[in-house]
Amino acid sequence: MELLSLVKVKNIHDVECLESQCAPLSEKAVGGHLNVSSHIVCYDSNKLCFQIQVTNIQKIEKFDGKCVLFLKTFQKITFFISSGYSLDLFCETVNNLKFIQDITLTLPFYRLPKSKINDGYKYVEEIELAWLGFPPSNWQITKLNKNYDLCPWYGKYLVVPVEFGDVDILAESRHEQRLPKPTFIYTTRSSFQQVLILIGGEPVVGPGFRFRILESDSLREMDRRYMEHVRMVSGSAVLFCQDTIKNRVNNREYDGWEVRYLRIPSITSLVSSLETISGKDGWTQGNKSWLEAIWSCLSACSDIINLISKENKSVLLETYPHLLSSLPQLCLNSRYRTFLGLHSIINKDWLASGYKFTSESKSTFCVEFLLFLSGIRQLTVWYPQAFEFNESFLRVLYGHSVSSKYGDFLGDNDHDRSTMGLYTRTVSLWGEVFDVSSDFHLTSSNPRYSPYPGILNPETLLCDPWRVTPWRALFCEKVAEGCVAMITKRARNIYQNEKRMKETRRS
């Protein structure tokens, strides 16, 4: 009810729409109806029918009897409104709703009936940790965070060294109550040695887009103790830092450790690049910085894969930790290349590891998460049969990460999601994904999928940076590109053809 006063106009008739800035004016949808609510902008006409989450709107511009909506999903929609008064009220309404300070008011609690709640929230962190092999030797799983009193940014179960007692964990918890967090364990085939990937305890990046650089330009005590324990157990460990602090760090802090400096662009420069792409000109050849960032991430991913699988070294990540923790896991473990595996890794390394989806999407794009999905998309291009899902699903996944249609990406941490009751009051996107009889599952599946249990290492493919290609389906997509029925029919035909070919080969 608090948002109703912000909606200055609810219905506008005779609205023309152009869903692409590059399309000719002859493709305009005419005689349309525009409906505005506190959460959604709906458009319905003879040619187009779509809805836009208000939280997905990056900015709005108006001029010469029309307004242009620039979305965080890099789409641009132009509405031609003949009435200047209605045009002003519409722009005012969108701006009012877009800049709401109380994030909880933008959540879809009041428009999702309980009858639609599904089992998409079935991820259990304790089961996932047990499946991975946690706790390894000399480690333990503690339930000190069961009520989120110790570390609200993480899940209920934390993996800590055995030598740490409850008193040590409580006393040594560092800035913003964050601890280093082991997220993946890999057992080498040759020596059966266990090596780990750990997310550093540096506070997560917020809307201010500051680096995850250690405030004192030195390693904090808790990270130091974790690294010493890892070295004692696995024999060697590597620290990944941002290259911008290379000249400011006292190398004696890292005596006996191997340090790798990453050249991934800063969050600020990546945001600027994405804002250029989402602007009037869209994707151009000048947007090379985003491609360079993807190449740098995949190169770092390849380094981590080699360190773990070939050199038997554990890794602690102090920069872009969610991205550099999850991306190598998809290459090292084939389970994470399935729908269920991707669901688990997003919950484990992103949602339960303190990535601020709501704060990030409220301010701008979810940059690190988009970089993660872009890296996966590039891997699907290089290894087209290794992933159960397709590029279309990754695009949908990013779209819902910056909007509030589903409850999966709402809130900044597990504590927020539990407090707001998201698991009982909202619908999960994954519930539709796991429904194998649904059209959404069909359009999201890769008909060429053939499980490959080995390791995917793009090391040789990264020799030439030009192998990284633009994600044109995301950056150059129309709002209503085709209709769902046509897409479903095309996907069903491809699936059936692949099925017949496989049956022919077997016979």
Side-chain angles (χ1 to χ4, degrees):
M1 299 297 291
E2 299 180 45
L3 301 182
L4 293 180
S5 60
L6 302 179
V7 182
K8 303 301 181 182
V9 59
K10 296 182 179 180
N11 299 287
I12 306 176
H13 300 280
D14 297 326
V15 178
E16 299 177 348
C17 175
L18 192 65
E19 60 170 343
S20 172
Q21 293 293 95
C22 303
L25 293 178
S26 59
E27 293 187 6
K28 286 193 302 184
V30 299
H33 177 75
L34 195 62
N35 179 271
V36 185
S37 69
S38 57
H39 295 91
I40 302 175
V41 175
C42 297
Y43 181 77
D44 189 8
S45 71
N46 59 336
K47 288 186 177 181
L48 293 175
C49 181
F50 59 86
Q51 63 181 25
I52 304 168
Q53 300 289 322
V54 174
T55 51
N56 190 17
I57 299 175
Q58 173 73 8
K59 63 179 178 179
I60 182 172
E61 295 181 358
K62 66 173 182 177
F63 49 89
D64 298 333
K66 62 181 179 181
C67 65
V68 182
L69 298 181
F70 297 88
L71 306 185
K72 296 174 184 175
T73 48
F74 309 100
Q75 300 152 337
K76 293 173 279 291
I77 310 103
T78 303
F79 291 120
F80 297 84
I81 303 176
S82 57
S83 171
Y85 179 70
S86 297
L87 176 62
D88 292 338
L89 290 180
F90 174 71
C91 294
E92 181 182 354
T93 298
V94 171
N95 282 320
N96 289 341
L97 296 173
K98 197 172 86 67
F99 292 105
I100 295 174
Q101 296 299 320
D102 187 355
I103 295 175
T104 59
L105 293 179
T106 66
L107 307 185
F109 291 150
Y110 308 106
R111 57 184 181 84
L112 291 175
K114 290 186 177 181
S115 60
K116 289 188 176 181
I117 294 177
N118 47 45
D119 63 347
Y121 295 122
K122 62 183 180 181
Y123 170 80
V124 181
E125 187 174 15
E126 189 176 20
I127 296 177
E128 180 67 19
L129 290 175
W131 184 89
L132 284 170
F134 284 106
S137 57
N138 298 310
W139 294 79
Q140 63 176 330
I141 295 180
T142 177
K143 297 182 180 180
L144 281 178
N145 203 41
K146 187 174 182 180
N147 297 320
Y148 304 103
D149 297 328
L150 173 65
C151 187
W153 301 104
Y154 290 160
K156 296 181 179 181
Y157 303 96
L158 299 176
V159 181
V160 298
V162 172
E163 65 186 53
F164 286 19
D166 291 351
V167 176
D168 287 336
I169 298 172
L170 292 171
E172 297 287 350
S173 60
R174 42 175 299 178
H175 188 56
E176 292 191 10
Q177 298 179 316
R178 290 176 61 89
L179 301 168
K181 180 182 178 181
T183 60
F184 183 71
I185 181 172
Y186 182 83
T187 304
T188 59
R189 297 179 180 179
S190 57
S191 60
F192 297 99
Q193 185 178 354
Q194 294 177 325
V195 292
L196 302 172
I197 295 179
L198 299 94
I199 290 179
E202 186 64 16
V204 74
V205 164
F209 311 121
R210 65 179 179 81
F211 273 127
R212 288 182 178 82
I213 297 178
L214 306 174
E215 292 181 356
S216 60
D217 290 336
S218 62
L219 201 63
R220 291 183 179 273
E221 182 62 27
M222 200 61 169
D223 281 356
R224 188 193 311 278
R225 293 183 62 184
Y226 266 71
M227 289 292 283
E228 291 298 336
H229 182 82
V230 170
R231 285 185 61 198
M232 179 184 67
V233 174
S234 61
S236 182
V238 180
L239 175 70
F240 276 78
C241 296
Q242 193 73 20
D243 66 340
T244 52
I245 66 171
K246 185 174 182 179
N247 298 326
R248 293 188 290 149
V249 171
N250 186 349
N251 288 329
R252 288 178 296 178
E253 298 279 349
Y254 308 110
D255 187 27
W257 301 351
E258 182 178 349
V259 183
R260 299 285 180 93
Y261 295 100
L262 302 177
R263 296 184 178 181
I264 302 176
S266 67
I267 294 288
T268 305
S269 62
L270 291 178
V271 169
S272 300
S273 177
L274 292 176
E275 287 177 345
T276 303
I277 297 173
S278 66
K280 294 181 180 180
D281 297 332
W283 182 272
T284 63
Q285 293 298 321
N287 301 121
K288 294 180 180 179
S289 58
W290 181 251
L291 296 181
E292 292 172 355
I294 298 174
W295 182 83
S296 299
C297 289
L298 291 173
S299 298
C301 172
S302 178
D303 290 342
I304 293 173
I305 293 171
N306 289 328
L307 287 170
I308 290 176
S309 63
K310 297 180 180 180
E311 301 182 33
N312 302 340
K313 295 181 179 180
S314 296
V315 173
L316 176 68
L317 304 168
E318 285 288 354
T319 182
Y320 291 98
H322 309 281
L323 166 66
L324 296 180
S325 170
S326 52
L327 201 55
Q329 294 181 48
L330 272 86
C331 298
L332 289 167
N333 194 318
S334 60
R335 174 177 176 267
Y336 289 129
R337 300 169 210 154
T338 64
F339 284 113
L340 185 60
L342 186 62
H343 171 249
S344 297
I345 205 170
I346 289 176
N347 276 276
K348 175 173 62 72
D349 289 53
W350 295 84
L351 298 173
S353 296
Y355 185 74
K356 299 182 178 181
F357 275 100
T358 297
S359 296
E360 292 281 348
S361 62
K362 191 68 180 176
S363 303
T364 180
F365 318 92
C366 291
V367 179
E368 190 173 348
F369 188 65
L370 178 56
L371 205 54
F372 167 63
L373 296 179
S374 298
I376 299 177
R377 178 259 165 192
Q378 190 60 54
L379 290 174
T380 62
V381 173
W382 290 339
Y383 306 100
Q385 295 180 326
F387 294 84
E388 185 181 11
F389 44 84
N390 58 23
E391 181 180 324
S392 175
F393 174 69
L394 297 176
R395 189 171 69 243
V396 171
L397 199 60
Y398 172 70
H400 291 305
S401 72
V402 294
S403 68
S404 59
K405 183 177 180 180
Y406 296 94
D408 301 274
F409 300 101
L410 301 179
D412 286 340
N413 50 65
D414 268 358
H415 180 252
D416 286 352
R417 285 182 278 275
S418 298
T419 302
M420 293 185 291
L422 293 180
Y423 302 120
T424 57
R425 302 171 68 186
T426 63
V427 172
S428 171
L429 168 67
W430 297 98
E432 298 186 30
V433 175
F434 296 146
D435 183 3
V436 295
S437 62
S438 67
D439 287 339
F440 181 72
H441 179 87
L442 189 61
T443 57
S444 302
S445 300
N446 177 13
R448 303 173 62 186
Y449 174 60
S450 179
Y452 173 67
I455 296 176
L456 303 181
N457 192 339
E459 184 177 16
T460 57
L461 296 170
L462 291 167
C463 296
D464 184 2
W466 293 104
R467 287 181 178 269
V468 179
T469 57
W471 192 356
R472 297 191 179 277
L474 174 66
F475 296 123
C476 307
E477 182 195 24
K478 295 181 180 180
V479 176
E481 187 174 14
C483 64
V484 176
M486 291 176 61
I487 296 175
T488 303
K489 183 178 179 181
R490 184 167 63 250
R492 184 177 288 108
N493 290 336
I494 294 174
Y495 177 80
Q496 291 175 351
N497 290 336
E498 291 284 340
K499 187 176 180 180
R500 283 195 295 268
M501 290 174 64
K502 289 181 180 179
E503 291 175 353
T504 302
R505 293 194 198 103
R506 290 174 184 172
S507 60

